[in-house]
Amino acid sequence: MGEHHHGPAQGISRWLFTTNHKDIGTMYLWFSFAMFLLGGFFAMVIRAELFQPGMQLVEPGFFNQMTTLHGLVMVFGAIMPSFVGLANWLIPMMIGAPDMALPRMNNWSFWILPPAFLMLASTLFMEGGAPAFGWTFYAPLSTTYAAPSVTFFIFAIHILGVSSIMGSINIIATVMNMRAPGMTYMKMPLFVWTWLITAFLLVAVMPVLAGAVTMMLMDIHFGTSFFSAAGGGDPVLFQHIFWFFGHPEVYIIILPAFGVVSQIIPAFSRKPLFGYASMVYATASIAFLSFIVWAHHMYTVGMPIAGELFFMYATMLIAVPTGVKVFNWISTMWRGALSFETPMLFCIGFLILFTLGGFTGLMLSIAPADFQYHDTYFVVAHFHYVMVAGAVFSMTAAVYYWLPKWCGRMYNEAMGKTHFWISFIGFNITFFPQHFVGLAGMPRRIPDYALQFADFNMMSSIGAFIYGASQLLFLYNVIATVLAGKPVSDEKVWDGAEGLEWTVPTPAPYHTFEEPPAVPKPAGTI
Amino acid sequence: MGRVFSGAVLAFLSPLAAAQNQVNMSPGVTEIGADIFELHMLIMWICVVIGVAVFAVMFYSIYAHRKSKGHQASQFHESTKVEVAWTVVPFLILIAMAVPATSTLLEVYDNDEAELDILITGYQWKWKYEYLLESGEPVAFFSNLATSQEEIYNTDKKGDNYLLEVDEPLVIPTNTKVRFLVTANDVIHSWWVPEIAVKRDAIPGFINEAWTRVPEEGIYRGQCTELCGAYHGFMPVEVHAVSRDEFDAWMAAKRGAAAAQTQLAMQTLSVDDLMDQGKAVYDSACLACHGAQGQGGIGNAIAGSAVVMGDLSNHMAVVAKGVSGTAMQAFGGQLNDVEMAAVLTYQRNAFGNNTGDVVQPGDVNGMKNG
């Protein structure tokens, strides 16, 4: 043991064999950004084909491969790993721990991701093409009627599931065991709370997804009939299993985003979060409700009316804790001393657009109305308001907010603000008109459409190209910051920032909190 | 380029100007459609009011409580009164929403006392309609996309009902409670006509119910709304609602045609008849995958094919049962004996295949049962 003990290893082995939470966090973040660009590229193909009515660039079968891979890559490759990367970087620093509880497993849970996505992407070059049954892969389109590449898809999903479960176990173990003395549960920053609850959701539902794809594998290769009525099975069973995973999954995506926003809004309001305890309870309520609302994705499958009513009422209830969150953020801003640096702009963008997505979510929960909304572009607009303007905007805010702490350099504020405004405008040009075409009757997942939808689709495509291009500005800004940004050395980069991560030097050294810190004040007070 | 540019400009301006850019749900023509529309508008306006109130507070704060204006942050947090209020009030609003939602849902589910039952079966990528009648010749037919490939691939001008037109629409009588029994033959589809507010998933092995009572004569169009494979975007629904008299006349004509087909199946047809009808069947069922000249495409070539020129019963088995794991679907349930005989004859003699084989409806029936 020499002096090198405290520094990273040299060369590629640093990254291959690292057990350091900061290195692994960095790898997760870069990997997820690469996937964001790949999934975004697929989206550009989709929007280019939909620019005008008629088939122009791709064939219908390939179009379906694009929509499928876009969804899978964005959900499993971009959004989920990005928040795991954030958790890796921040949770140990926020709770005063030296590292994650299970560092070798941490390495493994990252390194199985790239091969899984390589395998998924390679299906594009296989005979019969990539999976073309949508990211929801409803049977029997995804079993009896799927291209042979579906087997590779199933294997990829298994690996992603293993990665997520390992990552979540690590987070649970870290939060439960590694908190500095005095860091009680109700003093933890909300980002840690939201991730703890998210990790429990992941451990609960990823095995269900694994079960679903295993049943598919059996149906395809081993002659079972789980999802085939002809053999005594049930295609609707697939949807129940999928959405029992799938609905908690959307909260898995959005809860860490809530956590991020709950850190950033108080910092730039220079005022404690209005209701810390009620935010924790609201998060837990949302997590609980997420398990009993899954069939609201299935109002048209022909459920008995009692089931339909139960899922409608339960789904409507989610509006209550979600409303509590929005009210809390706005009360936090109320009579603060607000400033509008890039992270705050993205959080305000989140607040407005996520709330709009919440409203359309409430509309979708109303079962009889859903008979008209279901599987139209209205749904597409809804979930992009919550997934992109919700999860992606908050993730972007997080990068701008913590990047100076990570690398000790300040990003270019003017470029950051430009990125925000182009993103905000581009996003709304893309997705707002999709509410209109959806209500007017345009189904989702179609490569070509009737003429009355043409104008809004062209508008949507133009917005998508703008939004897509603005992400390259983000990439440039981050790289320029890491390589040559203006150095910052204040421990507290932002004057309103609170929490243990802002007590370590800037940039954060390779090892932090080898000695547990003193925990002075409860979170949520200044 | 100029066209694209003017299109882009139009796209930004036209929501204000052009009427064809529908921005809201249509109440449609049925009572349920109107109820759903009212419910939709009610919830939307409640959301708008809440949204305006919440965002007004936020924007006031953004305007007034700026650090750059020298505003000092107050440090208040937590207030049980406020927190109870913003939990209870939304809950009460939700109850107010749930009441009309429940009553409308009960209406949607009231499938009783239908005067006409129609079985709708989704196929990749067409709909089959079967009128379930108590007596007489059954009436059943397929409804295919009528838009031409030339329109889809931009070599012909697109018609007004581009992608929303079929070769044979569903015909229903007005002011009659029609019950739809919805199922599928292969993958899951979903049968949707916005103007009559009916959307039901078509699930293989299950039969779902839905109903409508259309008060006005007219043509109502819709599409499949569940991803069902490559041509999901190309299986529209077209419903013609006609007066009771017109419906009865249409039904009588349909029955006559069905009876004639049954008659035909017992006869020996001339080669010319078989070839003519065979070409018609080929063009609607086979051409998209196997090519206009039998040259192949998505499917194998028909011209010179070993299957087509080989053993007849194997040829028919492939057409009737499909080839699992490929795009070749089973046409057995879609073609009657006359059509099957005709298309087999046509494939065995067209495109230079010249086998000289003639397949009669009786042969098809024999192979089916033997």
Side-chain angles (χ1 to χ4, degrees):
Chain A
M1 296 309 231
E3 294 195 337
H4 297 292
H5 176 66
H6 289 287
Q10 295 302 306
I12 186 75
S13 64
R14 165 177 179 181
W15 302 104
L16 284 177
F17 305 126
T18 183
T19 54
N20 179 287
H21 73 102
K22 300 185 181 76
D23 280 354
I24 294 171
T26 303
M27 289 195 295
Y28 263 114
L29 290 170
W30 279 113
F31 174 75
S32 62
F33 195 81
M35 288 297 110
F36 183 57
L37 293 182
L38 180 68
F41 173 75
F42 296 148
M44 295 300 111
V45 174
I46 294 168
R47 285 316 322 174
E49 176 56 53
L50 294 175
F51 188 71
Q52 284 181 299
M55 298 305 300
Q56 282 92 15
L57 303 172
V58 297
E59 287 300 310
F62 187 76
F63 181 89
N64 290 346
Q65 298 175 29
M66 288 291 105
T67 55
T68 306
L69 289 179
H70 167 69
L72 290 170
V73 166
M74 285 305 198
V75 168
F76 295 105
I79 299 179
M80 289 173 70
S82 73
F83 282 110
V84 179
L86 208 56
N88 257 292
W89 252 104
L90 295 175
I91 289 177
M93 296 206 306
M94 284 178 162
I95 61 173
D99 205 304
M100 298 293 280
L102 307 162
R104 291 197 180 136
M105 193 165 85
N106 203 12
N107 170 294
W108 190 229
S109 63
F110 171 75
W111 274 113
I112 60 176
L113 276 183
F117 277 94
L118 206 61
M119 184 161 66
L120 188 62
S122 74
T123 57
L124 274 170
F125 306 101
M126 290 179 188
E127 203 182 327
F133 31 65
W135 87 277
T136 50
F137 52 101
Y138 281 7
L141 186 63
S142 62
T143 53
T144 321
Y145 294 84
S149 65
V150 65
T151 306
F152 292 86
F153 155 83
I154 290 171
F155 192 27
I157 292 285
H158 268 304
I159 300 176
L160 304 181
V162 170
S163 165
S164 289
I165 290 170
M166 290 198 298
S168 329
I169 290 174
N170 209 346
I171 286 167
I172 294 170
T174 306
V175 174
M176 289 193 153
N177 297 303
M178 308 272 289
R179 281 170 290 123
M183 176 62 76
T184 60
Y185 280 110
M186 289 312 272
K187 285 184 187 172
M188 294 194 310
L190 260 169
F191 179 74
V192 180
W193 254 116
T194 54
W195 241 120
L196 179 65
I197 291 168
T198 302
F200 275 105
L201 288 182
L202 273 165
V203 170
V205 301
M206 290 313 281
V208 178
L209 178 68
V213 293
T214 305
M215 288 153 101
M216 283 169 61
L217 189 76
M218 301 285 284
D219 273 10
I220 294 166
H221 293 294
F222 303 110
T224 57
S225 298
F226 288 109
F227 306 131
S228 158
D234 180 351
V236 181
L237 172 68
F238 176 86
Q239 297 182 27
H240 282 293
I241 297 173
F242 179 83
W243 287 114
F244 188 82
F245 147 80
H247 201 77
E249 168 68 18
V250 305
Y251 294 105
I252 286 164
I253 287 172
I254 204 67
L255 292 183
F258 289 169
V260 165
V261 173
S262 304
Q263 300 298 130
I264 296 178
I265 286 184
F268 293 97
S269 305
R270 292 162 186 83
K271 187 163 162 283
L273 191 65
F274 177 76
Y276 172 85
S278 71
M279 286 296 246
V280 172
Y281 301 142
T283 309
S285 314
I286 292 174
F288 167 74
L289 288 172
S290 77
F291 283 107
I292 57 163
V293 297
W294 76 89
H296 66 219
H297 298 270
M298 303 164 54
Y299 282 144
T300 60
V301 299
M303 266 186 293
I305 184 132
E308 201 97 347
L309 286 171
F310 169 78
F311 285 108
M312 175 168 81
Y313 298 149
T315 305
M316 290 169 76
L317 274 183
I318 294 180
V320 175
T322 312
V324 166
K325 294 214 158 256
V326 172
F327 299 143
N328 258 304
W329 290 318
I330 289 175
S331 312
T332 304
M333 290 165 69
W334 186 252
R335 290 174 50 208
L338 303 178
S339 62
F340 303 95
E341 287 84 350
T342 310
M344 184 63 166
L345 287 178
F346 271 100
C347 283
I348 293 173
F350 163 95
L351 201 48
I352 297 169
L353 301 178
F354 175 79
T355 305
L356 287 180
F359 286 142
T360 52
L362 182 60
M363 294 169 76
L364 283 158
S365 78
I366 307 292
D370 185 70
F371 279 94
Q372 293 285 46
Y373 306 138
H374 181 75
D375 263 341
T376 67
Y377 260 84
F378 189 75
V379 177
V380 176
H382 158 71
F383 69 72
H384 282 92
Y385 267 80
V386 290
M387 293 286 106
V388 181
V392 177
F393 271 35
S394 81
M395 187 63 219
T396 313
V399 170
Y400 282 116
Y401 183 60
W402 280 290
L403 186 63
K405 172 54 76 183
W406 296 337
C407 70
R409 293 173 186 277
M410 194 47 146
Y411 62 86
N412 181 324
E413 190 66 61
M415 206 188 295
K417 286 182 173 164
T418 311
H419 172 215
F420 168 74
W421 284 108
I422 301 176
S423 285
F424 187 84
I425 293 166
F427 173 85
N428 282 295
I429 296 174
T430 312
F431 293 107
F432 207 78
Q434 294 186 1
H435 293 112
F436 300 149
V437 287
L439 290 174
M442 179 168 163
R444 64 191 285 209
R445 292 170 167 164
I446 56 175
D448 193 6
Y449 47 83
L451 300 179
Q452 66 263 36
F453 308 129
D455 290 350
F456 285 133
N457 268 287
M458 184 177 285
M459 193 164 155
S460 208
S461 291
I462 292 168
F465 301 144
I466 296 172
Y467 180 76
S470 77
Q471 304 316 311
L472 298 176
L473 189 65
F474 181 38
L475 177 65
Y476 175 80
N477 201 356
V478 170
I479 291 175
T481 307
V482 173
L483 295 180
K486 196 169 131 244
V488 270
S489 54
D490 286 356
E491 285 164 8
K492 265 175 102 160
V493 177
W494 312 102
D495 63 321
E498 288 297 324
L500 289 177
E501 79 269 31
W502 303 106
T503 63
V504 302
T506 302
Y510 199 58
H511 294 289
T512 39
F513 297 129
E514 283 168 295
E515 299 289 327
V519 180
K521 295 161 290 188
T525 60
I526 289 211
Chain B
M1 199 58 218
R3 204 167 67 83
V4 170
F5 179 73
S6 61
V9 171
L10 181 75
F12 282 97
L13 298 179
S14 55
L16 305 170
Q20 95 264 23
N21 284 313
Q22 186 187 335
V23 297
N24 199 0
M25 185 190 283
S26 159
V29 293
T30 59
E31 231 176 276
I32 288 213
D35 289 349
I36 289 177
F37 176 75
E38 272 175 34
L39 190 60
H40 155 74
M41 293 308 286
L42 172 75
I43 310 284
M44 195 191 79
W45 282 116
I46 292 175
C47 289
V48 168
V49 170
I50 297 171
V52 167
V54 168
F55 291 143
V57 173
M58 189 189 79
F59 280 114
Y60 178 78
S61 187
I62 288 175
Y63 164 75
H65 306 146
R66 288 164 174 265
K67 187 179 172 226
S68 59
K69 285 176 150 184
H71 194 271
Q72 292 296 314
S74 87
Q75 295 300 313
F76 72 84
H77 61 94
E78 287 181 8
S79 154
T80 311
K81 269 188 215 156
V82 174
E83 290 174 75
V84 168
W86 72 34
T87 308
V88 172
V89 172
F91 188 75
L92 296 176
I93 297 174
L94 290 177
I95 291 176
M97 289 177 178
V99 173
T102 304
S103 67
T104 308
L105 191 65
L106 290 171
E107 277 179 74
V108 172
Y109 265 71
D110 176 20
N111 297 305
D112 294 343
E113 292 169 24
E115 296 155 77
L116 174 66
D117 285 341
I118 299 173
L119 177 64
I120 300 175
T121 310
Y123 285 72
Q124 282 182 326
W125 292 279
K126 63 196 111 188
W127 296 100
K128 183 186 188 186
Y129 301 117
E130 270 175 279
Y131 292 75
L132 305 179
L133 308 165
E134 279 164 25
S135 60
E137 288 290 335
V139 170
F141 55 87
F142 280 85
S143 183
N144 295 287
L145 175 73
T147 304
S148 71
Q149 292 291 308
E150 288 73 25
E151 284 175 74
I152 293 170
Y153 285 90
N154 313 306
T155 48
D156 265 5
K157 191 176 176 307
K158 296 177 180 22
D160 285 345
N161 297 314
Y162 177 68
L163 296 185
L164 298 177
E165 54 201 345
V166 299
D167 54 358
E168 220 180 335
L170 177 70
V171 178
I172 57 171
T174 52
N175 295 311
T176 305
K177 185 162 182 176
V178 181
R179 186 168 66 141
F180 301 116
L181 301 165
V182 187
T183 185
N185 181 59
D186 34 48
V187 300
I188 299 175
H189 304 267
S190 188
W191 195 83
W192 183 34
V193 182
E195 294 282 304
I196 61 173
V198 173
K199 182 185 284 152
R200 264 293 185 272
D201 288 0
I203 300 168
F206 289 79
I207 294 180
N208 278 329
E209 290 177 294
W211 69 275
T212 190
R213 184 197 298 275
V214 181
E216 288 171 37
E217 292 184 33
I219 298 175
Y220 308 108
R221 297 171 195 278
Q223 287 179 270
C224 176
T225 45
E226 182 63 65
L227 178 63
C228 58
Y231 299 96
H232 161 55
F234 305 91
M235 52 181 292
V237 176
E238 187 177 332
V239 179
H240 288 200
V242 298
S243 68
R244 189 79 218 185
D245 290 347
E246 210 178 316
F247 177 77
D248 290 341
W250 174 84
M251 183 58 84
K254 270 283 173 197
R255 281 182 157 168
Q261 278 285 330
T262 314
Q263 277 297 313
L264 218 52
M266 292 180 220
Q267 292 169 9
T268 300
L269 302 177
S270 75
V271 176
D272 286 349
D273 281 354
L274 285 167
M275 288 296 280
D276 285 351
Q277 194 167 353
K279 180 169 179 3
V281 174
Y282 183 90
D283 288 353
S284 81
C286 320
L287 181 143
C289 295
H290 294 287
Q293 304 306 319
Q295 75 274 25
I298 296 169
N300 294 332
I302 296 296
S305 156
V307 171
V308 172
M309 302 179 65
D311 177 50
L312 174 62
S313 61
N314 180 49
H315 181 194
M316 182 175 134
V318 169
V319 177
K321 295 176 185 158
V323 181
S324 80
T326 71
M328 180 65 196
Q329 16 167 335
F331 286 90
Q334 305 180 31
L335 303 177
N336 63 31
D337 291 355
V338 177
E339 291 163 336
M340 180 65 87
V343 80
L344 292 176
T345 306
Y346 181 71
Q347 289 189 354
R348 296 176 85 83
N349 293 287
F351 318 128
N353 284 352
N354 305 330
T355 57
D357 294 346
V358 176
V359 187
Q360 292 292 346
D363 303 334
V364 170
N365 195 17
M367 283 188 285
K368 264 203 309 207
N369 300 324

